[in-house]
């Protein structure tokens, strides 16, 4: 009787209660207030809690194989942090980060630091120091195959160090690696077959739910083929057989 | 004027034991190496076994079997006292030595800065304990009264001249002079305390005991001027700390080194300087010496920071054998202004913490493990960058260069890797598995370096392999025309 007028307000109350950020519903992606840095990719931002790379937690990025866009994925955020005079620390990268390309991505090179420790223990120590320093904006640690059996408590320690600090902590691992329970965000980066686009799958995030893979075209600018006029000009110069350009 | 006196009663012992965290073995300081020598001071362990100052050496050895004896070193004591005086210049600009075992500080002007007399007392007491000395501290409006209070071991803090007389009256009369005949004379008068002396008729006392006694009393009460020689801080700092027992553990060495570092930092604060290359010498048995020089990016005088750097360096330094002495030298010092503390974390603080971060990494991993990258004006990709000190990269080339370089990979191979090629005449590049690469963009011709003997002539392409990775490959523009992979577009 008097329940009917109050029913809408009651459901509204429930809805508003459920909108509370502390309440997590298993079937969807709760909006969790997490301090974040925008990734620079709007398609990815909408699926991340806090709409960006979360700071103060470990983000684990599983890479199918190197050279498929994993570095470009994190570069806009890292570059922006170097512009704000905060260090971009790369610990044990698998290859040499190429300075002109980094500069072209907007990285302020005077804020780039490359650390190549000899042992895993030193890598972890350097990572911990970097996370502790308030001057670091983003810390990237690569773990190679031999160090994959990294003790869970070492990661736990890194996570505790990163907590409540305004720092992006990125952990790059091979996709076969066992995932660590400590990471608050886990992504898997792979290539879409037959295209040059990069597929980013979110494997774990705060707030729950696993969305469909986000497909990013990271290399579109790179792959603009030369116009025919340019090609003619080039052929003229190089004396190379045309078959060499498009080989399938 | 308000004077604070630091009296080091145990200085003969402290100069030997301050390098050790706790007394472990009985140790006593003797008056000399000769046979009739007497014990001057003994540490706690020795005292518990019955060794007392004033005892003969043989008697002491009979009481404590493993007693370690060291001869008193007055030169070292005096040097320590001077270093303490230099250290205490951080609290006031007027410090005076009161030989043989006390330092006087004029602190009236420092009270406001350090938050009052009690705070300053605590501050100094903590600092002295950090240096590894035992001091009794007292303050009074006149230097002599402060010194007497400190010598008496009375923790007296008289701030107002009116209260001085009352406090002085309780002190024993012995302090007036060192002369035993005079002390006996005063005792014969029945003057046990300074109060008793003050109550004696002045002219009679002057006639019988001499003008000197009255003058001392007047100086203590502030009725006569008592000028003190100001202590001037030395221009450089160097100190040595003997270890009572050989030490091989890094932690124990660090503990001893920290004593000297605390002295160094006090001296640096007093003179407004910072060290950039402090040098540590660990002197071992068999005359071996290990030298550690810390390299700091920015001058510093922060005790904790320097200790951390030394700890990291010690951790990766192998010492040949146990050390028996530690020496430290400031090296070159540079003026270092104090920084105003900000309410919010600001950029200056971040800059400081960033240079500290680099120094910590350097100390632990060695300078070769850390670098920054700077672009270099060269067309050859492998020469378009240089390693440099972190933070020392050239300023950004700006938008112009980035638009000029559209196709540069983020990952570069240090040495280009040869690709497999199909056996046809127009050789096509293939990846490791033997599947052909498809060329997506290019070529970009790079031909440079004929002038320095590293001539390259290459056509660069962006290629995609079967696994959809994007590679940066090139073909040499010579007769062989081999293909190489030079980078990944990550």
């Amino acid at each position: 009787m008097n329940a009917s007028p109050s029913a809408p307000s009651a459901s509204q109350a429930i809805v508003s209660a459920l909108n509370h950020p502390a309440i997590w519903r298993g079937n969807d992606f709760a909006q969790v207030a997490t301090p974040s840095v925008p990734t620079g990719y709007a398609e990815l931002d909408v699926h991340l809690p806090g709409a960006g790379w979360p700071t103060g937690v470990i983000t684990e990025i599983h890479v199918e194989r190197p050279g498929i866009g994993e570095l470009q994925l994190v570069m806009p955020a890292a570059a922006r942090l170097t512009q704000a005079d905060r260090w971009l620390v790369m610990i044990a990268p698998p290859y040499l980060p190429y300075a002109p390309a980094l500069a072209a991505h907007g990285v302020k090179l005077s804020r780039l630091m490359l650390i190549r420790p000899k042992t895993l223990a030193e890598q972890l120590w350097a990572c911990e120091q970097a996370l502790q320093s308030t001057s670091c904006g983003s810390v990237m640690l690569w773990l190679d195959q031999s160090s994959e059996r990294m003790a869970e408590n070492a990661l736990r320690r890194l996570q505790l160090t990163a907590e409540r600090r305004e720092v992006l902590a990125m952990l790059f691992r091979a996709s076969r690696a066992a995932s660590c329970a400590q990471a608050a965000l886990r992504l898997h980066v792979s290539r879409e077959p037959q295209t040059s686009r990069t597929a980013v799958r979110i494997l774990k995030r705060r707030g729950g739910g696993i969305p469909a893979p986000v497909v990013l075209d990271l290399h579109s600018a790179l792959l603009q083929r030369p116009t025919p006029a340019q090609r003619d000009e080039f052929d003229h110069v190089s004396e190379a057989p045309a078959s060499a350009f498009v080989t399938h | 004027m308000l004077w604070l006196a630091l009296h080091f009663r145990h200085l003969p012992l402290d100069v030997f034991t301050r390098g050790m965290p706790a007394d472990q073995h009985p140790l006593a300081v003797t008056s000399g190496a000769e046979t009739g020598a007497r014990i001057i001071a003994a540490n706690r362990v020795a005292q518990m076994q019955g060794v007392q100052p004033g005892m003969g050496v043989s008697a002491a050895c009979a009481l404590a079997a493993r007693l370690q004896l060291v001869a008193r070193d007055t030169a070292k004591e005096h040097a320590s006292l001077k270093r303490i005086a230099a250290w205490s210049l951080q609290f006031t600009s007027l410090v005076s030595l009161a030989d043989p075992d006390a330092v006087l500080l004029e602190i009236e002007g420092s009270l406001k800065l350090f938050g009052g007399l009690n705070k300053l007392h605590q501050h100094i007491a903590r600092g002295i304990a950090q240096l590894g000395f035992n001091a009794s501290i007292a303050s009074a409006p006149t230097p002599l009264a402060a010194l007497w209070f400190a010598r008496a071991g009375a923790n007296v803090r008289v701030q107002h001249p009116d209260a001085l007389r009352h406090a002085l009256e309780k002190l024993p009369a012995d302090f007036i002079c060192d002369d035993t005949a005079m002390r006996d004379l005063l005792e014969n008068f029945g003057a046990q305390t300074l109060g008793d002396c003050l109550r004696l008729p002045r002219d009679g006392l002057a006639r019988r005991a001499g003008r000197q006694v009255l003058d001392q009393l007047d100086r203590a009460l502030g009725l006569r001027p008592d000028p003190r020689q100001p202590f001037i801080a030395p221009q450089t700092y160097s100190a040595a700390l003997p270890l009572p027992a050989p030490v091989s553990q890094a932690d124990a060495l660090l503990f001893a080194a920290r004593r000297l570092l605390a002295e160094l930092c006090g001296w640096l604060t007093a003179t407004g300087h910072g060290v950039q290359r402090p040098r540590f010498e660990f002197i071992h048995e068999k005359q071996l010496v290990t030298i550690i020089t810390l390299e700091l990016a920015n001058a510093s005088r922060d005790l904790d920071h320097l200790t951390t750097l030394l700890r990291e360096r010690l951790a990766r330094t192998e010492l040949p054998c146990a050390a028996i002495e530690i020496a430290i030298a400031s090296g070159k010092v540079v003026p270092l202004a104090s920084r105003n503390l900000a309410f919010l974390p600001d950029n200056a603080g971040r800059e400081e913490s960033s240079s500290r971060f680099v120094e910590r990494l350097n100390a632990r991993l060695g300078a070769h493990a850390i670098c920054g990258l700077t672009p270099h004006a060269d067309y050859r990709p492998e020469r378009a960058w240089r390693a440099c000190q972190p933070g020392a990269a050239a300023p950004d080339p700006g938008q112009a260069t980035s638009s000029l370089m559209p196709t540069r990979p983020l990952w570069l191979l240090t040495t280009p890797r040869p690709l497999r090629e199909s056996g046809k005449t127009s050789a096509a590049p293939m990846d490791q598995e033997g599947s052909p690469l498809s060329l997506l963009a290019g070529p970009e011709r790079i031909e440079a370096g004929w002038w320095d003997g590293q001539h390259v002539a290459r056509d660069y392409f962006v290629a995609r392999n079967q696994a959809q990775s994007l590679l940066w490959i090139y073909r040499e523009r010579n007769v062989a025309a081999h293909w190489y992979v030079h980078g990944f577009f990550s």
Side-chain angles (χ1 to χ4, degrees):
Chain A
M1 293 182 267
N2 56 358
S4 51
S6 69
S9 68
S11 70
Q12 268 168 14
I14 288 171
V15 167
S16 67
L18 286 177
N19 278 338
H20 192 277
I23 293 177
W24 170 38
R25 283 186 286 177
N27 60 349
D28 65 9
F29 170 44
Q31 289 297 326
V32 184
T34 320
S36 310
V37 178
T39 62
Y41 301 100
E43 311 92 304
L44 189 57
D45 276 350
V46 296
H47 293 293
L48 294 175
W53 299 118
T55 58
V57 296
I58 291 181
T59 301
E60 201 181 358
I61 299 180
H62 287 234
V63 185
E64 201 178 29
R65 72 182 61 75
I68 53 172
E70 75 279 13
L71 199 56
Q72 206 160 2
L73 195 63
V74 297
M75 222 14 98
R80 207 166 322 113
L81 287 169
T82 61
Q83 293 296 345
D85 261 342
R86 301 181 63 186
W87 287 104
L88 161 59
V89 181
M90 294 178 151
I91 302 168
Y95 307 103
L96 178 79
Y98 191 44
L102 288 172
H105 274 90
V107 173
K108 193 172 170 186
L109 286 176
S110 61
R111 288 283 131 187
L112 171 76
M113 195 192 302
L114 216 60
I115 308 178
R116 294 164 178 268
K118 286 191 213 73
T119 63
L120 175 64
E122 284 183 346
Q123 285 175 15
L124 295 174
W125 178 85
C127 188
E128 196 179 331
Q129 292 295 318
L131 291 175
Q132 268 170 7
S133 167
T134 50
S135 56
C136 288
S138 37
V139 180
M140 300 178 185
L141 173 66
W142 279 265
L143 290 174
D144 59 12
Q145 300 289 343
S146 59
S147 54
E148 278 302 346
R149 289 186 297 113
M150 180 162 140
E152 191 76 350
N153 52 9
L155 277 176
R156 171 90 187 131
R157 192 170 159 161
L158 289 184
Q159 169 61 49
L160 287 176
T161 313
E163 237 161 58
R164 286 189 303 279
R165 291 183 196 271
E166 292 171 27
V167 59
L168 292 182
M170 305 280 185
L171 182 65
F172 290 92
R173 317 179 83 171
S175 62
R176 290 181 298 282
S179 46
C180 90
Q182 309 302 338
L185 177 65
R186 186 179 307 136
L187 306 179
H188 181 272
V189 182
S190 59
R191 252 328 160 181
E192 272 207 324
Q194 301 312 314
T195 65
S196 56
R197 295 193 300 176
T198 305
V200 180
R201 278 192 292 145
I202 296 176
L203 302 181
K204 176 185 176 182
R205 62 178 178 183
R206 283 203 177 146
I210 295 179
V214 181
V215 178
L216 300 172
D217 200 354
L218 298 176
H219 296 122
S220 57
L222 190 69
L223 299 178
Q224 278 159 7
R225 288 169 180 250
T227 58
Q230 283 170 329
R231 283 182 71 174
D232 289 347
E233 198 182 338
F234 167 73
D235 287 347
H236 175 68
V237 176
S238 80
E239 313 141 23
S243 61
F245 306 137
V246 189
T247 314
H248 289 283
Chain B
M1 303 276 260
L2 184 61
W3 291 82
L4 185 141
L6 298 167
H7 178 241
F8 300 92
R9 184 189 308 276
H10 303 289
L11 193 60
L13 186 66
D14 282 346
V15 293
F16 292 105
T17 55
R18 59 192 284 241
M20 297 291 247
D23 298 338
Q24 286 154 350
H25 305 292
L27 180 112
V29 181
T30 64
S31 58
E34 73 277 0
T35 40
R38 305 215 150 255
I39 302 286
I40 290 174
N43 70 358
R44 197 180 300 268
V45 182
Q47 282 186 7
M48 271 160 62
Q49 295 179 5
V51 179
Q52 293 296 332
M55 210 173 238
V57 167
S58 46
C61 287
L63 281 167
R66 295 191 299 127
L67 184 65
Q68 189 188 354
L69 293 168
V70 281
R72 183 174 182 177
D73 191 340
T74 43
K76 207 159 267 168
E77 286 170 31
H78 191 67
S80 296
L81 203 63
K82 275 165 85 171
R83 291 204 308 270
I84 294 169
W87 171 85
S88 33
L89 276 170
Q90 63 183 303
F91 301 108
T92 168
S93 55
L94 178 55
V95 170
S96 176
L97 287 181
D99 284 322
D101 53 2
V103 176
L104 288 164
L105 286 69
E106 201 287 302
I107 52 165
E108 183 151 27
S110 314
L111 291 181
K112 184 132 187 130
L113 177 62
F114 289 93
L117 187 58
N118 288 341
K119 284 261 176 64
L120 184 58
H121 261 251
Q122 287 165 11
H123 203 101
I124 293 178
R126 245 196 328 265
I128 292 286
Q130 207 169 39
L131 297 183
F133 291 105
N134 292 298
S136 48
I137 307 174
S139 45
T142 64
L144 194 60
L147 196 57
W148 284 353
F149 286 133
R151 287 219 168 112
N155 185 17
V156 175
R157 292 168 201 178
V158 182
Q159 206 166 350
H160 203 272
D162 296 349
L164 179 60
R165 189 183 178 103
H166 179 71
L168 267 179
E169 280 178 349
K170 291 177 202 148
L171 283 182
D174 297 357
F175 285 104
I176 294 186
C177 58
D178 300 330
D179 190 1
T180 36
M182 195 69 68
R183 287 185 188 173
D184 290 345
L185 184 72
L186 288 175
E187 204 175 325
N188 289 344
F189 292 162
Q192 301 282 330
T193 63
L194 289 181
D196 295 338
C197 294
L198 287 171
R199 275 188 288 277
L200 290 171
R202 281 178 67 91
D203 53 342
L205 186 63
R207 215 170 35 246
R208 299 178 115 188
R211 186 74 213 162
Q212 200 200 348
V213 174
L214 269 187
D215 286 352
Q216 283 286 78
L217 280 173
D218 287 349
R219 284 195 192 106
L221 286 170
L223 303 173
R224 249 184 107 79
D226 187 6
R228 295 277 164 174
Q229 182 83 36
F231 175 80
I232 313 283
Q235 289 301 303
T236 57
Y237 174 90
S238 63
L241 176 60
L243 300 168
V247 171
S248 52
Q249 297 95 349
D251 276 354
L253 278 179
L254 194 70
F255 179 86
R258 195 181 154 91
R259 299 285 202 209
L260 294 180
L261 270 176
E263 278 182 13
L264 173 67
C265 292
W267 171 75
L268 288 169
T269 313
T271 55
H273 286 102
V275 278
Q276 217 152 11
R277 300 191 59 196
R279 187 182 133 107
F280 301 83
E281 283 179 21
F282 296 91
I283 298 148
H284 307 281
E285 292 152 326
K286 301 177 218 150
Q287 311 211 314
L288 295 167
V289 180
T290 306
I291 296 175
I292 291 182
T293 308
L294 296 182
E295 307 271 352
L296 275 75
N298 288 356
S300 168
R301 55 166 176 255
D302 185 323
L303 175 60
D304 289 329
H305 179 54
L306 291 173
T307 312
T308 315
L309 294 185
L310 182 63
R311 178 184 296 125
E312 301 301 353
R313 274 300 292 273
L314 270 178
R316 70 182 178 98
T317 308
E318 286 207 11
L319 300 175
C321 55
I324 52 172
E325 190 170 337
I326 297 176
I328 171 173
S330 58
K332 189 170 169 287
V333 292
V334 289
L336 180 65
S338 346
R339 198 166 52 82
N340 285 332
L341 294 172
F343 180 63
L344 296 167
D346 57 348
N347 263 345
R350 184 174 287 166
E351 196 50 50
E352 188 176 280
S353 106
S354 102
S355 75
R356 286 186 176 192
F357 167 56
V358 177
E359 283 161 11
R360 267 204 305 278
L361 291 173
N362 267 328
R364 167 83 173 247
L365 306 173
H368 57 273
I370 301 134
C371 67
L373 298 177
T374 181
H376 185 248
D378 200 316
Y379 289 108
R380 291 164 287 184
E382 60 268 49
R383 285 167 174 259
W385 63 278
R386 293 275 159 95
C388 65
Q389 288 288 318
D396 281 348
Q399 209 59 38
T401 332
S402 56
S403 61
L404 278 177
M405 292 210 189
T407 50
R408 289 289 179 273
L410 279 168
W411 288 137
L412 195 74
L413 295 174
T414 347
T415 47
R417 199 164 64 203
L419 284 167
R420 291 172 61 176
E421 287 158 30
S422 65
K424 286 175 262 172
T425 43
S426 58
M430 296 193 301
D431 62 8
Q432 242 59 2
E433 287 81 40
S435 45
L437 300 175
S438 47
L439 302 182
L440 303 177
E444 179 192 355
R445 176 157 301 173
I446 293 177
E447 185 160 0
W450 50 266
W451 52 85
D452 60 4
Q454 304 284 323
H455 182 220
V456 300
R458 298 164 179 170
D459 283 335
Y460 276 89
F461 296 87
V462 178
R464 181 168 59 201
N465 66 8
Q466 209 67 353
Q468 308 296 323
S469 292
L470 290 184
L471 313 176
W472 202 39
I473 64 173
Y474 70 83
R475 185 177 49 188
E476 284 188 328
R477 292 195 63 246
N478 53 20
V479 185
H482 285 305
W483 289 91
Y484 294 87
V485 58
H486 205 172
F488 299 108
F489 290 90
S490 178

